[in-house]
Amino acid sequence: MEFQTFITENEPAIRLSAFLGIFALMALWEVAAPRRARLLPRAVRWTNNITLVVLNTILLRLLFPAAAVGVAAFAASRGWGVFHLWEVPWWLAVVAGVLLMDFAIWVQHVMFHAIPALWRIHRMHHADLDFDLTTGARFHPIEIILSMVIKFGVILLLGVPVVAVVLFEVLLNATAMFNHSNARMPTAVDRVVRLLVVTPDMHRVHHSVEGDETNSNFGFNFPWWDRLLGTYRAQPRAGHEGMTIGIHNIRDVRTCDYLPGMLALPFRGPVGNYAINGRFKGEA
């Protein structure tokens, strides 16, 4: 209980420290060994993407002061959720909690591509004309709120332990920056690492303008759900240097990579051939 109390009381500091450490590491890797040439200046993209992160963080703290950790502690105090009802051993509940929360995020990601109204919101993430570690934290505030509500539901349903929630949140932030990074990894190393975690080359395929590639490799943390459920694609057809990042019909830099345009994107124009419908049409 003392360990859980420590985690609960220091969760913001733990997450912030992990975020800053991984961010610095991936930023250095991108500078030392970039995978692709950048289309836009780093100052433009980082300023706008990081400002969006700050905005989302403030919004979540205002709307959900207890955050996911508070929901987990609440469920535990009342014995709610499958893990409490079945008296699952603590260590097993932690492992299963992390895995099942990751699967829930995978399902959510697929749904944000499959449902037109959700794709309208999610496409802001895909509209980025470049692909680097800041893309991994670039989500519309509406999507962030919906994702948090879904996460709350999963935690309450399962009774996920507080420690598992913190581990998952730290892991999700770290892997999102890692697998969205513009970092070069030797092919032989990538082939092994992607058996355990989603790599940059694996997830970059998901940000292709080609619809069938966009609708593959939905995983953020673990690659197993895509492999098991038929949405895994090893490489983009055009290769990583030759592929085009973003969405076919949304290419204006002011819309794609400046904060006002990014925030307005869900409300602009028809949704068109949203991603799942465009899976075999080369559209997104």
Side-chain angles (χ1 to χ4, degrees):
M1 290 299 293
E2 290 183 3
F3 178 64
Q4 180 164 301
T5 301
F6 174 82
I7 293 292
T8 304
E9 292 178 351
N10 295 280
E11 178 261 346
I14 293 170
R15 290 186 59 187
L16 180 61
S17 298
F19 173 82
L20 293 176
I22 298 298
F23 187 98
L25 178 63
M26 297 315 305
L28 290 172
W29 191 349
E30 287 188 345
V31 171
R35 186 68 163 99
R36 291 166 47 92
R38 288 184 290 106
L39 296 178
L40 301 174
R42 187 176 283 113
V44 170
R45 296 186 57 263
W46 281 28
T47 298
N48 288 277
N49 287 349
I50 293 174
T51 300
L52 180 62
V53 173
V54 174
L55 174 65
N56 285 337
T57 301
I58 294 172
L59 181 63
L60 286 180
R61 287 297 174 182
L62 289 174
L63 292 177
F64 310 110
V69 169
V71 173
F74 177 80
S77 68
R78 285 161 176 73
W80 290 1
V82 173
F83 295 152
H84 298 296
L85 294 175
W86 289 358
E87 297 183 349
V88 175
W90 182 81
W91 67 268
L92 181 57
V94 170
V95 174
V98 171
L99 289 174
L100 291 174
M101 287 183 71
D102 188 67
F103 179 65
I105 292 295
W106 183 91
V107 173
Q108 172 192 310
H109 194 179
V110 173
M111 290 300 98
F112 269 81
H113 280 249
I115 298 172
L118 296 180
W119 169 247
R120 177 181 287 277
I121 299 165
H122 182 61
R123 65 181 178 169
M124 194 210 77
H125 176 67
H126 281 264
D128 198 348
L129 299 176
D130 263 325
F131 181 93
D132 70 12
L133 78 159
T134 64
T135 308
R138 169 196 157 113
F139 294 95
H140 198 278
I142 297 175
E143 180 170 359
I144 289 292
I145 292 170
L146 290 174
S147 297
M148 185 61 75
V149 171
I150 292 170
K151 191 182 297 180
F152 287 172
V154 173
I155 292 170
L156 291 172
L157 176 65
L158 296 176
V160 180
V162 168
V163 173
V165 172
V166 175
L167 286 175
F168 177 75
E169 297 279 54
V170 169
L171 181 64
L172 184 63
N173 286 336
T175 54
M177 287 186 284
F178 168 66
N179 60 43
H180 283 89
S181 66
N182 184 34
R184 180 178 297 275
M185 182 183 295
T187 302
V189 176
D190 176 89
R191 191 178 300 118
V192 174
V193 174
R194 71 167 59 192
L195 295 175
L196 301 174
V197 67
V198 177
T199 65
D201 275 12
M202 179 178 167
H203 192 69
R204 191 177 296 107
V205 179
H206 181 72
H207 283 257
S208 166
V209 295
E210 304 302 332
D212 58 331
E213 294 179 347
T214 303
N215 288 287
S216 65
N217 300 359
F218 291 96
F220 270 75
N221 291 330
F222 305 122
W224 311 314
W225 318 124
D226 287 302
R227 291 178 181 272
L228 290 171
L229 297 170
T231 52
Y232 173 71
R233 182 182 289 270
Q235 302 294 338
R237 282 187 296 274
H240 288 280
E241 287 81 5
M243 69 183 289
T244 301
I245 299 293
I247 298 175
H248 271 303
N249 60 346
I250 307 176
R251 308 299 300 174
D252 176 64
V253 66
R254 289 285 171 181
T255 299
C256 296
D257 285 288
Y258 282 82
L259 189 60
M262 291 157 58
L263 293 175
L265 186 55
F267 313 103
R268 297 180 60 174
V271 71
N273 290 320
Y274 62 94
I276 294 292
N277 275 358
R279 180 170 179 129
F280 301 108
K281 299 177 184 177
E283 299 180 3

